[in-house]
Amino acid sequence: MTDLLAPLQSLKQGNWFKLICGASYQHLPAVRNLTLAYTLAGADCVDVAADPAVIAATQEALLVAQSLVDDAQKRGFAFTGNLPLLMVSLNDGEDPHFRKAEFNDQDCPSDCSRPCEKICPAQAILFNNTKDDFSGVISEKCYGCGRCLPICPYGIIYTKSYVSTPGAIASLARGNAPLIMSTGIDALEIHTQVGRLAEFQRLWDAMTPWADKLKLVAISCNDGEGLIDYLQAIYNLIVPRPQFLIWQTDGRSMSGDIGDGTTIATIKLGQKVLTANLPGYVQLAGGTNSYTVPKLRRMGLLNDFGLPILDFGLEEHNLKSKIQNPKSKIAGVAYGSYARVLLSPILDQLENKEVINTDSQGNIPLEEEPELLWEAVRLAHTLVSQIKSGQ
């Protein structure tokens, strides 16, 4: 049973860590193993697709994590058995997080160098896979980053998007709030964009019968003209009000694994929302990586744990100088593509192993390979500990 006070206390303290498995990422072995590793490393929230199979895989990983409390503590990890909140993501309209790349491999010239396969961070594009002679996009692995679209020399890759409908929400809730809670869904995230207030209202109305049972609601939005007025309008129509509300600033969607510079966009957006003093907590996403917390801390945007503010370069100085309310702090950081790529060497090793103890689909649970499990937890902890310990 999740001790909800523990992750919510992290939010209050400003050291909240969220793992984003992906709003459209449905590769069950990876979701399960990412959840297990980051839970043991101390994550406060795991955000997954609103898919019953994905939710079930996540829940299974959380149960396994609880059984490994003693092992984690013996190895020096601070996991106490308090589980992260389980969050699902919905959207009120077209959104890159809710799409899949597709193409017909028969349209690919035989002499193409296949740059799409090389650039895909999720390894979702394969040609002539040796197991089943498959070529194309593995749908459950694709999380919609779109990097394959502009790089295709023949322009034959396209995307298929989907929108959370009232019917889908009703199916998830089944018209019964206690049932939602019994599945372990503690929190909800809504992806929206400036100018979609009517669409947001439609989605919120569909959730109203059970929204007040959630512990937390997050609103994720990119920057745009009129952003603050839009977020204020959203706040005004959210009734009943959630116990905890997060404004997720999605600076540069699904780009954290690209490099240092991607985190600047979400920091700028986080600063913008902070200075608006909206009710609730501000949490970064979109472009977050290992550079994010050090930059935030040097800029005085996080609880500093008594650490001195260091010299950090002109661009960060310009950002810091614009902060209108120095007492405002970022409450937490969410990591998606970077968190996944960080553990990809471990998950790749696991996928390529041939052992007897597999699940019903032939996948190897991470806990069945202790050496890989604890290496994955160690890697996950290098990211989680940045915001947890101030390092």
Side-chain angles (χ1 to χ4, degrees):
M1 187 68 181
T2 303
D3 179 1
L4 297 177
L5 294 179
L8 294 176
Q9 189 63 29
S10 296
L11 192 60
K12 292 179 180 179
Q13 294 172 346
N15 60 358
W16 162 271
F17 180 103
K18 185 175 87 168
L19 168 68
I20 303 173
C21 285
S24 62
Y25 190 59
Q26 297 160 307
H27 187 48
L28 301 184
V31 170
R32 184 187 185 280
N33 293 329
L34 285 166
T35 298
L36 176 57
Y38 278 96
T39 295
L40 291 171
D44 296 299
C45 181
V46 178
D47 181 10
V48 301
D51 178 306
V54 172
I55 293 169
T58 307
Q59 283 289 70
E60 183 178 318
L62 296 177
L63 290 175
V64 173
Q66 279 191 316
S67 72
L68 295 172
V69 175
D70 290 343
D71 285 351
Q73 293 178 352
K74 288 177 183 176
R75 294 170 183 271
F77 300 108
F79 179 61
T80 63
N82 291 325
L83 298 180
L85 300 183
L86 175 53
M87 173 184 284
V88 297
S89 284
L90 302 173
N91 62 328
D92 63 9
E94 292 285 330
D95 188 284
H97 298 87
F98 297 80
R99 67 181 182 180
K100 302 281 190 181
E102 294 185 5
F103 66 90
N104 185 344
D105 68 292
Q106 299 301 312
D107 296 333
C108 298
S110 59
D111 61 348
C112 181
S113 62
R114 298 168 179 170
C116 59
E117 185 178 22
K118 299 179 180 68
I119 203 171
C120 179
Q123 298 178 339
I125 299 177
L126 293 178
F127 288 90
N128 301 317
N129 180 264
T130 55
K131 290 184 179 180
D132 51 18
D133 197 31
F134 172 82
S135 294
V137 179
I138 304 173
S139 179
E140 64 268 22
K141 284 189 174 184
C142 177
Y143 56 81
C145 71
R147 296 179 206 176
C148 59
L149 301 179
I151 206 170
C152 175
Y154 302 97
I156 63 172
I157 303 178
Y158 60 95
T159 60
K160 182 176 291 186
S161 301
Y162 60 95
V163 178
S164 302
T165 64
I169 296 168
S171 176
L172 181 64
R174 299 181 189 176
N176 189 327
L179 181 61
I180 277 289
M181 304 314 294
S182 71
T183 64
I185 298 175
D186 308 302
L188 184 77
E189 180 167 289
I190 301 175
H191 291 255
T192 189
Q193 292 182 18
V194 176
R196 292 212 299 239
L197 194 61
E199 292 86 348
F200 186 95
Q201 177 79 67
R202 172 194 62 83
L203 188 65
W204 187 259
D205 288 346
M207 293 165 38
T208 299
W210 50 275
D212 62 337
K213 303 299 191 295
L214 296 167
K215 300 300 179 185
L216 183 151
V217 171
I219 309 299
S220 181
C221 194
N222 300 103
D223 201 0
E225 186 177 353
L227 172 67
I228 301 305
D229 289 341
Y230 181 64
L231 297 183
Q232 184 63 63
I234 283 178
Y235 180 77
N236 292 338
L237 67 78
I238 293 179
V239 179
R241 293 270 160 75
Q243 298 179 43
F244 286 80
L245 178 64
I246 286 177
W247 304 106
Q248 177 169 286
T249 57
D250 193 9
R252 186 174 168 184
S253 302
M254 298 175 284
S255 66
D257 57 311
I258 294 176
D260 182 357
T262 62
T263 202
I264 293 296
T266 192
I267 290 176
K268 287 182 176 179
L269 185 52
Q271 173 201 328
K272 179 177 181 177
V273 177
L274 271 180
T275 56
N277 294 314
L278 293 166
Y281 299 89
V282 177
Q283 172 229 280
L284 305 188
T288 54
N289 50 39
S290 62
Y291 299 99
T292 305
V293 167
K295 287 178 182 289
L296 288 172
R297 204 175 299 287
R298 291 194 298 262
M299 294 166 63
L301 289 173
L302 280 180
N303 287 331
D304 61 13
F305 296 90
L307 298 177
I309 295 177
L310 307 176
D311 179 50
F312 41 75
L314 180 60
E315 186 168 18
E316 291 180 36
H317 176 75
N318 289 339
L319 286 174
K320 184 180 178 184
S321 67
K322 296 178 183 177
I323 298 173
Q324 299 171 12
N325 182 1
K327 294 182 180 180
S328 295
K329 304 289 182 180
I330 296 295
V333 181
Y335 301 85
S337 56
Y338 182 81
R340 292 188 293 266
V341 169
L342 183 63
L343 297 196
S344 61
I346 303 298
L347 301 188
D348 289 346
Q349 287 185 59
L350 193 66
E351 189 170 332
N352 293 328
K353 271 185 170 288
E354 294 184 5
V355 296
I356 297 175
N357 295 325
T358 62
D359 63 17
S360 59
Q361 284 75 45
N363 301 305
I364 306 169
L366 184 55
E367 67 273 15
E368 293 294 336
E369 295 290 324
E371 185 176 342
L372 292 180
L373 167 65
W374 296 111
E375 177 61 14
V377 177
R378 184 193 67 79
L379 287 172
H381 187 260
T382 63
L383 191 59
V384 176
S385 64
Q386 286 188 331
I387 198 166
K388 293 296 184 183
S389 65
Q391 297 177 354

